[in-house]
Amino acid sequence: AAKKESGNKVVLYNEEITKEKNDRYQVEDRLRKAINHELIEVYYQPQIDARGDVLTGVEALLRWTDEELGFVPPEVFISVAEDIGMIHRLWEIAMEQACCQVRKWNEDRDVPLSLAVNFSAKQFQDPDALVRQVKDFLRKCQLDPVNFEVEITESALLYNVNEISKALKELQDYGISISIDDFGTGYSSLSYLKNLPINTLKIDRSFIQDIKENHDNTQIPEAVINLARSLQLRVIAEGVEEKYQKDFLVDNQCTHMQGYLFSKPLTKTQFEEHWLRK
Ligand code: C2E
Ligand code: MG
Ligand code: MG
Ligand code: MG
């Protein structure tokens, strides 16, 4: 009986694996189609100077709702796109929509908005080509490089460090800012902070969500804020959902933030209605 049981388990296990594989193939297949037909849309999440609740910029975040699969979370389709070699195409879609859009918004503003775009480590295999392409996008849309930010995760810095560092240096020399996304979650050595051209640390939202009303558990955000200050880097908090988190951050000199407390990521139209037509 034991044998039969384990036999059944093997069958079940195989069926599960087969199903997962099929799901994966389906996502790949639908994603290729969505990319080719540009059915993927950029959403904009406001970035705020919380001292006066002033809008300072936006982060571009991709959204994909498929006819068959429904809403697919970015974590899922970004990683599929990386695996099938289409992450750069997704980035091009984000750049195409967002750069010209933000330039247009800035035409009516005294203080221009900054645009932050997420870059994947996989895109840095040919640093010269990437840098050239970033410059081309900014030039084509006439977006000032000082209003553009590259976001790259801390964990991404572990891959092709030399290529990444070369590209980031050139981008920074061109006037672009470099932000380390999800900072504190990458398990990497802090020495890269000295050697890489970095402007901003973005405190990961898991640490922000650790900040409770009684201000227990605030050691990590405090440490990151102090680290940024001693290295003369800017710091921004992501995932701010509660007023007491915002207050804690402002009291500790982290003035810039992003999160549902201010706004979820919005479509172009929603962003214009809520943030530009006041
Ligand atoms: P990320 O770059 O760290 O983006 C922040 C994520 O936190 C976004 O999730 C955003 O919607 C979410 N978020 C913002 N404020 C809050 C909050 O107050 N509470 C909570 N619970 N969440 C908040 P999203 O849009 O699902 O994106 C997930 C990740 O997918 C991004 O993390 C980024 O790593 C990746 N991603 C999205 N768009 C792109 C892209 O164009 N290229 C690349 N390479 N990655 C992208
Ligand atoms: Mg980001
Ligand atoms: Mg992040
Ligand atoms: Mg993230």
Side-chain angles (χ1 to χ4, degrees), residues 75 153 181-182 204-205 238:
E75 270 101 353
T153 61
D181 206 350
D182 303 349
D204 188 67
R205 70 165 183 265
E238 69 178 9

Side-chain angles (χ1 to χ4, degrees), residues 27-271:
V27 174
E28 285 182 19
D29 179 54
R30 299 297 305 170
L31 183 61
R32 280 181 212 282
K33 292 193 173 110
I35 290 174
N36 290 334
H37 294 91
E38 308 228 345
L39 298 175
I40 296 175
E41 195 183 354
V42 175
Y43 276 47
Y44 301 90
Q45 188 176 33
Q47 297 183 327
I48 305 294
D49 181 342
R51 284 169 299 188
D53 287 346
V54 179
L55 175 72
T56 61
V58 291
E59 176 176 4
L61 292 160
L62 290 170
R63 290 290 178 269
W64 174 35
T65 302
D66 183 68
E67 267 180 20
E68 286 172 20
L69 302 169
F71 177 80
V72 184
E75 270 101 353
V76 173
F77 71 79
I78 296 288
S79 104
V80 171
E82 285 176 339
D83 291 348
I84 64 175
M86 294 200 88
I87 189 64
H88 191 68
R89 277 292 301 131
L90 271 185
W91 173 83
E92 288 174 333
I93 291 175
M95 291 291 285
E96 246 150 41
Q97 293 180 31
C99 290
C100 288
Q101 185 58 67
V102 170
R103 201 286 315 273
K104 261 183 225 148
W105 287 334
N106 282 344
E107 282 167 14
D108 306 325
R109 294 177 59 85
D110 297 331
V111 183
L113 296 175
S114 62
L115 167 65
V117 174
N118 293 285
F119 285 57
S120 157
K122 297 263 158 75
Q123 297 180 251
F124 287 82
Q125 275 142 7
D126 185 348
D128 292 331
L130 182 65
V131 170
R132 210 177 314 123
Q133 213 184 348
V134 171
K135 291 181 179 175
D136 284 346
F137 269 118
L138 299 185
R139 223 177 280 130
K140 196 183 80 186
C141 295
Q142 294 174 279
L143 186 69
D144 190 336
V146 301
N147 297 319
F148 186 75
E149 283 175 29
V150 170
E151 287 197 10
I152 179 159
T153 61
E154 189 192 349
S155 46
L157 299 176
L158 296 171
Y159 304 95
N160 22 327
V161 198
N162 293 330
E163 285 84 357
I164 290 184
S165 132
K166 180 172 191 281
L168 295 183
K169 278 206 182 74
E170 282 177 34
L171 292 168
Q172 200 186 48
D173 287 344
Y174 195 60
I176 291 168
S177 291
I178 314 295
S179 301
I180 304 304
D181 206 350
D182 303 349
F183 184 76
T185 60
Y187 303 104
S188 53
S189 128
L190 288 178
S191 63
Y192 70 86
L193 290 179
K194 278 197 314 187
N195 306 324
L196 284 176
I198 294 168
N199 301 88
T200 304
L201 302 182
K202 220 171 161 183
I203 310 176
D204 188 67
R205 70 165 183 265
S206 61
F207 301 123
I208 304 306
Q209 275 152 21
D210 280 345
I211 304 174
K212 305 294 183 221
E213 195 143 25
N214 59 13
H215 290 187
D216 260 5
N217 241 332
T218 54
Q219 294 91 339
I220 304 238
E222 281 175 73
V224 176
I225 293 166
N226 289 330
L227 182 66
R229 188 182 306 122
S230 13
L231 294 169
Q232 291 175 301
L233 302 174
R234 287 184 299 166
V235 62
I236 172 165
E238 69 178 9
V240 178
E241 294 183 356
E242 304 289 345
K243 174 79 162 56
Y244 54 78
Q245 294 166 342
K246 168 188 167 186
D247 293 341
F248 172 86
L249 290 162
V250 172
D251 288 346
N252 286 274
Q253 332 298 327
C254 174
T255 52
H256 287 67
M257 48 192 85
Q258 195 178 327
Y260 295 169
L261 177 64
F262 307 97
S263 172
K264 296 202 163 180
L266 303 171
T267 65
K268 157 193 182 305
T269 311
Q270 290 169 333
F271 180 78

